[in-house]
Amino acid sequence: MSASTPSLDRGLYALLHLVNEELIHPNQRRELPIPEHLRTICGGSPEQPLTMTTARYQSDAFDALTVASITTGSGHLCSLTVVGIPGRNTGFPIVGIDLVALRGSLSLIAVDLAPTDDVAWDSYCAPLLRALTHDLSGVVIPRKRPDFTEGVFSPLAVIAGAHAGAESSVFAALSAFLRKVADLPAQMTGSDQTLSASSRLDRRELWLAAERRNRKEHNALAKLFGAALATEYLDRFLFASLTDAQPVSQPCNAEAADVSSH
């Protein structure tokens, strides 16, 4: 596995900073507890050790906003994941961002604002995703939508890989998108909504259940940090129902398979 290049490293760190400082402002967020063995996870291979670091926050907009990043042994950032589960009374979308650069290129760009209320999504979220698609035109290679996304991701979800040499344009587009997403809670306060709170909760649960069926992500994480850890992290923490997520305590997983094929 190749280390992240300097340009990828800088771009990912800039986006991580933007998420931490703007998507959920430090003055508005409350950090939620995470079992210590899930907060920092060791893995990779002897030739290329990796560390995944996770934090979870709550705010008026999000019942849970989880930020996870993977760094190499030399400190290069090579993966960034953001999962924002909106509050039940907001009509706010489910925010999903997954950026992977484990082999020296930005091989995966997955970005979506999944609707919990159709009217609110049409008015506030669809324009942001259309603008992102426009800004990424010509600099990314679209990828096939996985089957598990059917009926839960928005029709405008971005799933792609970056053209070689176009990473700076991709990061610029993502930065502009994130700043607009950070403004959504203020814009959507008091907006018209067509679904009840219980229906919006049902959509949250359907989205989380769909993500738990994403075997490709499970297998990729298992290669990096071991199968047992991947199952716990994805099924019983990251994508678990917020009402019953109870991760099982276990030490940092030393079971790490060869990651060269990821």
Side-chain angles (χ1 to χ4, degrees):
M1 185 187 75
S2 302
S4 177
T5 65
S7 61
L8 286 173
D9 189 52
R10 288 192 299 270
L12 288 168
Y13 268 116
L15 288 177
L16 176 60
H17 177 77
L18 190 61
V19 168
N20 285 328
E21 295 301 317
E22 295 199 28
L23 188 57
I24 183 164
H25 193 276
N27 292 336
Q28 300 170 349
R29 71 190 183 194
R30 301 172 292 279
E31 187 164 5
L32 297 175
I34 296 176
E36 198 62 34
H37 71 286
L38 297 184
R39 183 177 296 277
T40 303
I41 300 173
C42 312
S45 65
E47 296 76 23
Q48 183 60 79
L50 298 171
T51 301
M52 181 164 67
T53 304
T54 302
R56 174 170 279 185
Y57 305 99
Q58 189 177 66
S59 70
D60 292 341
F62 294 103
D63 278 354
L65 186 138
T66 308
V67 182
S69 59
I70 297 178
T71 54
T72 66
S74 55
H76 292 298
L77 189 59
C78 55
S79 178
L80 174 61
T81 299
V82 180
V83 175
I85 305 299
R88 65 187 63 197
N89 296 317
T90 65
F92 201 62
I94 299 167
V95 178
I97 300 170
D98 202 13
L99 307 174
V100 178
L102 284 167
R103 291 190 293 180
S105 64
L106 193 54
S107 59
L108 176 63
I109 305 159
V111 180
D112 195 23
L113 301 173
T116 61
D117 186 277
D118 294 331
V119 169
W121 186 86
D122 285 339
S123 298
Y124 297 96
C125 304
L128 272 57
L129 288 166
R130 290 192 183 99
L132 177 62
T133 298
H134 176 270
D135 291 344
L136 291 175
S137 177
V139 299
V140 300
I141 305 164
R143 295 174 60 171
K144 181 180 180 294
R145 290 173 67 108
D147 292 341
F148 80 89
T149 68
E150 186 68 30
V152 292
F153 277 33
S154 84
L156 299 177
V158 172
I159 303 176
H163 279 295
E167 292 86 1
S168 61
S169 296
V170 172
F171 288 132
L174 292 173
S175 295
F177 172 79
L178 279 171
R179 289 190 173 93
K180 294 173 185 175
V181 173
D183 291 336
L184 278 179
Q187 295 174 7
M188 296 180 67
T189 300
S191 63
D192 291 336
Q193 297 174 23
T194 56
L195 296 180
S196 65
S198 62
S199 295
R200 292 194 295 271
L201 286 175
D202 287 344
R203 286 198 175 185
R204 287 193 342 184
E205 291 304 311
L206 286 172
W207 187 92
L208 290 166
E211 286 286 358
R212 293 195 295 270
R213 295 194 299 272
N214 183 359
R215 302 316 298 170
K216 186 172 183 179
E217 182 169 15
H218 177 278
N219 293 340
L221 200 67
K223 286 182 180 180
L224 301 179
F225 300 107
L229 196 289
T231 297
E232 180 187 7
Y233 187 87
L234 296 174
D235 294 355
R236 301 200 291 277
F237 170 66
L238 186 60
F239 300 124
S241 168
L242 294 182
T243 60
D244 61 13
Q246 296 292 335
V248 178
S249 295
Q250 70 180 54
C252 183
N253 197 317
E255 175 194 354
D258 179 20
V259 301
S260 59
S261 62
H262 184 67

